Amino acid sequence: FFSNFSSRAEIGNILAMVRNPKSLPRLDDRRFYGLVQVLNGEPEAGVQFLIENGEIQKDEDGKMFLASAYALAKQYTNAIMEYRALVEGARSPEIIHRAQIGLGKVYFRQSLFKESLSQFEEILKNSPGDNESRIWSARCYISLGDKFSAKKRCQDVLGDDPKNRDALELVKQL
């Protein structure tokens, strides 16, 4: 799936042959099944399957999976609520970091550029070398009309990674 060996549609067709997906013995398989439903145009069914069978309330990884599934399903209000809950209550610094990134991206997709920028700038306070957050903050600055700050963020990225495709593309827009 992730290697593009088979298309989403092909994998969806294979998974459609699973007679009782709820009985898949491995948690990863059940989560994969729900995710493929989301990606193949059945977001409500996929999210509902995950809620019922994906053990998403079991731990922080499960909650993060649900938040990401909501974002992929374009159920942005639910994604925001789940990401916020993780940012405020997760114990794992890695989960908090991933939730902040997810939250920032959802805000961006909703054209809430100030809120998005706030998330990425908060990440950069704790992880100043986080190039993903630098790139997303540059996108926010561009969307807010602040080309100077966007250029600075891109230069920071290119200082660490001179061949960074995202930064090079953004610089062309400036």
Side-chain angles (χ1 to χ4, degrees):
F1 177 73
F2 292 109
S3 66
N4 287 326
F5 183 75
S6 297
S7 72
R8 271 192 231 167
E10 290 171 322
I11 292 172
N13 290 336
I14 293 167
L15 290 178
M17 291 186 279
V18 175
R19 291 185 186 173
N20 185 5
K22 295 176 183 182
S23 69
L24 290 169
R26 293 185 50 229
L27 174 61
D28 287 344
D29 292 339
R30 292 190 309 274
R31 287 183 179 174
F32 182 74
Y33 182 88
L35 180 63
V36 170
Q37 281 188 298
V38 168
L39 294 173
N40 279 343
E42 298 179 56
E44 290 81 14
V47 167
Q48 191 60 39
F49 181 85
L50 289 170
I51 290 169
E52 293 172 2
N53 305 288
E55 297 180 27
I56 46 83
Q57 295 301 327
K58 182 177 178 181
D59 57 24
E60 291 176 350
D61 284 326
K63 292 174 185 178
M64 185 67 195
F65 196 91
L66 179 62
S68 299
Y70 277 138
L72 288 170
K74 298 181 180 166
Q75 295 179 12
Y76 296 125
T77 301
N78 290 333
I80 288 169
M81 291 179 359
E82 293 296 328
Y83 282 133
R84 278 187 182 163
L86 285 163
V87 168
E88 295 168 5
R91 292 187 179 122
S92 163
E94 176 63 23
I95 293 287
I96 293 169
H97 178 81
R98 288 175 36 215
Q100 285 176 306
I101 295 230
L103 185 56
K105 288 178 179 181
V106 169
Y107 283 145
F108 189 88
R109 287 185 191 110
Q110 292 294 291
S111 300
L112 299 169
F113 303 120
K114 289 181 182 178
E115 291 84 348
S116 179
L117 180 60
S118 176
Q119 286 301 310
F120 294 115
E121 291 297 324
E122 186 64 30
I123 294 168
L124 290 169
K125 285 180 188 174
N126 298 319
S127 303
D130 185 317
N131 280 344
E132 183 176 14
S133 294
R134 287 173 172 170
I135 292 291
W136 279 97
S137 66
R139 289 181 175 128
C140 292
Y141 282 125
I142 289 169
S143 296
L144 292 167
D146 185 351
K147 291 183 179 186
F148 177 81
S149 296
K151 186 174 183 179
K152 169 79 172 91
R153 284 288 182 226
C154 289
Q155 288 171 339
D156 292 343
V157 171
L158 293 170
D160 289 345
D161 180 6
K163 295 182 181 180
N164 186 293
R165 289 182 189 171
D166 292 325
L168 291 170
E169 275 299 312
L170 290 173
V171 167
K172 287 180 187 177
Q173 295 178 29
L174 301 173

